[in-house]
Amino acid sequence: QVRLVESGGGLVQPGGSLTLSCAASGNIFTIYTMGWYRQDPGKQRELVATITKGGSLNYADSVKGRFTISRDNAKNTVLLQMNSLKPDDTAVYYCYVLLAILGDYWGQGTQVTVSS
């Protein structure tokens, strides 16, 4: 069984910063890709950022220059540093991992609210 534990969501004012963290544990052999997606009610889940085991990065255009994704392969963790937050960034953020053999897994989601 694989478990993803997310933390770091909350309420922040526009222009503020938050860091999301996700730790993967369980029957893990290799994690190919780690990342973050987000979803607003009534909308489709969308990619925010991903990072491969080799360090290749992919960001949504809407967050480029403001968000930074990183991972620690030894600890099976992924971080999302979010700066210059905007109200449009408000959503539930989901941790995502693509594992060798086992496929993909999702975290339970953490709410990020950007509001004054």
Side-chain angles (χ1 to χ4, degrees):
Q1 192 70 8
V2 176
R3 185 181 183 210
L4 301 180
V5 177
E6 300 155 334
S7 61
L11 173 64
V12 64
Q13 292 187 341
S17 298
L18 281 175
T19 300
L20 303 183
S21 176
C22 176
S25 62
N27 189 20
I28 296 171
F29 179 61
T30 299
I31 303 179
Y32 290 138
T33 299
M34 305 186 82
W36 295 91
Y37 287 69
R38 64 188 182 188
Q39 188 170 21
D40 255 345
K43 294 184 180 180
Q44 285 190 332
R45 192 170 295 187
E46 63 177 10
L47 176 138
V48 177
T50 59
I51 181 169
T52 67
K53 190 174 188 295
S56 295
L57 306 174
N58 186 29
Y59 290 99
D61 287 343
S62 59
V63 307
K64 284 180 181 176
R66 300 188 297 121
F67 292 11
T68 302
I69 190 169
S70 61
R71 67 186 277 180
D72 185 329
N73 291 328
K75 297 181 179 178
N76 290 335
T77 57
V78 60
L79 300 179
L80 185 68
Q81 174 67 44
M82 304 185 293
N83 298 326
S84 303
L85 282 160
K86 306 174 182 179
D88 282 351
D89 296 317
T90 295
V92 177
Y93 284 69
Y94 294 91
C95 178
Y96 166 84
V97 295
L98 175 61
L99 306 177
I101 302 173
L102 298 178
D104 50 15
Y105 282 80
W106 295 89
Q108 78 283 0
T110 185
Q111 178 70 46
V112 171
T113 301
V114 185
S115 174
S116 56

